[in-house]
C-alpha cells in the first residue's frame, strides 16, 4: 500500500511489524522482508521486526541463519514489550537485538510508582550500555515525557503523540 507512495515518505521512514516465534520456522520471513524493502528502492526505508513476548523463540540453525540474513539486508530487530512474557534478558544474550522497547506497563506508572521509575532507569542504562536504540512505549502524559526527556531516548511512542490509525487515514493525514 505504501510502495507506490515511496517518494512521498520522509527519508529513512520506519516500518515496524510484530513477529513471533512461528515466523522463525523457515526462511520465508527473509524473502518477505526482501520483497518489502525492494518496494521502496527509490526512497529506502528502515524495516524493523519487533519480536513479541507471546512465544519463546528457540535458538537453532534456522533461527541463526534467519537473523544473519536479516542483518545483512539491513533489517533491524526490536525486542518488544521488554520486561514482560518472553521478552527477557535471555534474548539479549542469545540474539543480536538492535532496539529495546520498554513495555508500557512500566512507562505507564512513571510519576505514580517509584519502583517503576527505578526499573525504567535501569532498563535504559542497560540498553545504553549495550548500544541499543531505545523506544519507550505507552507514553500518555506530559509527566512521562518530562521524566524521560533527560535520557534523550531515540523514540517515544504512545497515545500522547497519536493513536493508531488505518493506513488510509495515515496517508490522508501525513502524506
Amino acid at each position: 500500500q505504501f510502495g507506490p507512495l515511496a517518494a512521498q515518505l520522509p527519508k529513512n521512514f520506519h516500518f515496524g511489524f510484530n513477529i513471533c516465534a512461528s515466523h522463525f520456522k523457515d526462511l520465508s520471513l527473509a524473502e518477505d522482508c526482501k520483497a518489502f524493502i525492494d518496494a521502496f528502492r527509490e526512497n529506502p526505508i528502515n524495516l524493523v521486526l519487533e519480536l513479541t513476548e507471546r512465544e519463546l523463540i528457540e535458538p537453532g540453525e534456522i533461527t541463526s541463519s534467519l537473523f544473519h540474513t536479516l542483518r545483512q539486508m539491513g533489517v533491524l530487530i526490536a525486542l518488544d514489550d521488554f520486561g514482560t512474557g518472553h521478552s527477557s534478558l535471555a534474548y539479549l544474550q542469545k540474539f543480536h537485538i538492535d532496539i529495546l522497547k520498554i513495555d508500557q506497563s512500566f512507562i505507564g506508572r512513571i510519576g505514580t510508582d517509584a519502583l517503576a521509575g527505578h526499573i525504567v532507569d535501569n532498563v535504559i542504562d542497560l540498553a545504553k550500555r549495550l548500544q541499543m536504540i531505545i523506544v519507550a512505549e505507552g507514553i500518555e502524559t506530559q509527566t512521562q515525557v518530562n521524566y524521560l526527556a533527560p535520557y534523550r531516548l531515540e523514540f517515544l511512542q504512545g497515545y500522547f503523540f497519536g493513536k493508531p490509525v488505518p493506513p488510509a487515514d495515515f496517508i490522508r493525514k501525513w502524506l
Side-chain angles (χ1 to χ4, degrees):
Q1 189 168 7
F2 283 88
L5 305 171
Q8 296 176 49
L9 295 174
K11 185 177 170 129
N12 297 315
F13 189 80
H14 282 75
F15 282 97
F17 295 97
N18 286 347
I19 59 171
C20 60
S22 62
H23 289 103
F24 287 86
K25 303 289 186 219
D26 59 49
L27 299 178
S28 65
L29 177 61
E31 295 164 11
D32 293 342
C33 289
K34 182 178 181 335
F36 189 85
I37 290 168
D38 286 349
F40 298 91
R41 280 194 186 145
E42 69 177 87
N43 184 14
I45 50 92
N46 290 312
L47 178 56
V48 179
L49 298 181
E50 301 182 12
L51 304 176
T52 64
E53 81 291 354
R54 291 184 268 289
E55 304 171 44
L56 181 65
I57 297 174
E58 295 291 342
E61 191 174 317
I62 291 175
T63 303
S64 178
S65 177
L66 192 51
F67 268 93
H68 176 75
T69 301
L70 293 171
R71 174 149 316 285
Q72 297 290 63
M73 293 168 44
V75 175
L76 298 173
I77 304 294
L79 188 53
D80 197 16
D81 303 323
F82 184 75
T84 66
H86 293 294
S87 293
S88 69
L89 295 171
Y91 270 25
L92 300 181
Q93 288 183 310
K94 293 178 186 176
F95 308 114
H96 182 95
I97 305 293
D98 303 292
I99 302 169
L100 189 76
K101 297 185 76 176
I102 305 170
D103 188 67
Q104 64 185 357
S105 64
F106 302 111
I107 300 298
R109 291 190 218 132
I110 288 175
T112 62
D113 179 352
L115 180 58
H118 293 308
I119 291 170
V120 169
D121 296 342
N122 283 290
V123 169
I124 290 171
D125 181 60
L126 173 65
K128 286 186 178 240
R129 288 173 186 254
L130 296 174
Q131 300 178 338
M132 300 172 82
I133 297 167
I134 305 167
V135 178
E137 295 184 297
I139 307 287
E140 294 185 359
T141 68
Q142 186 66 52
T143 299
Q144 294 161 348
V145 172
N146 294 346
Y147 183 90
L148 294 166
Y151 287 110
R152 303 188 63 153
L153 303 182
E154 289 84 352
F155 298 100
L156 303 178
Q157 174 184 328
Y159 286 179
F160 183 80
F161 306 104
K163 294 186 177 181
V165 296
D169 292 350
F170 179 88
I171 290 167
R172 200 170 23 262
K173 182 174 181 177
W174 297 105
L175 300 181

